[in-house]
Amino acid sequence: MKAWSLALLAVVGAFFIAGLTGSFITDYFGLWHLPGAGFAAALAVVVTTHFASPSHKFRSSCIALLVGAVVAWILIEPYWYPESERYGDLAYQTTHLPFVATLAGGILGLLVAFLLKSKTAA
């Protein structure tokens, strides 16, 4: 039980650190920070789950992706384009971009976890 508690702490830490880092990096390049934060956070959560889980690593990564997708759907679906010169007439219109970017990060993380699983099994 202690190992799973530590794994949960690692995943939560990875979520916050990667989300903030993704947000800062995309904002630095003049892009909308929310899709970048979601992509980075989802990627980090799924990969960290694989490394931190004491057992059933790939299954745990799949569950992390599923739970993360549901939470992201609840929190950011749909979202609105921000007001900026970059988005012009799209400002304040609904978009699925943050959710899609978050899901893409999680799927990429799951692909990484699958490749690590395959490499370990070989």
Side-chain angles (χ1 to χ4, degrees), residues 15-117:
F15 170 78
F16 283 111
I17 291 169
L20 288 172
T21 303
S23 179
F24 289 138
I25 289 172
T26 51
D27 191 51
Y28 176 80
F29 286 107
L31 301 171
W32 185 16
H33 72 94
L34 189 59
F39 182 89
L43 175 66
V45 163
V46 173
V47 172
T48 301
T49 299
H50 176 78
F51 282 113
S53 297
S55 62
H56 307 291
K57 292 179 177 294
F58 185 72
R59 186 176 301 154
S60 297
S61 295
C62 291
I63 292 169
L65 174 60
L66 181 64
V67 170
V70 169
V71 170
W73 180 266
I74 292 168
L75 294 178
I76 61 175
E77 183 59 28
Y79 214 79
W80 299 267
Y81 282 105
E83 181 182 4
S84 74
E85 295 172 9
R86 173 176 283 263
Y87 297 107
D89 292 338
L90 291 175
Y92 301 115
Q93 292 186 24
T94 57
T95 179
H96 304 288
L97 182 62
F99 178 73
V100 170
T102 302
L103 195 57
I107 291 170
L108 179 61
L110 196 60
L111 176 63
V112 169
F114 178 77
L115 292 174
L116 290 170
K117 174 186 171 223

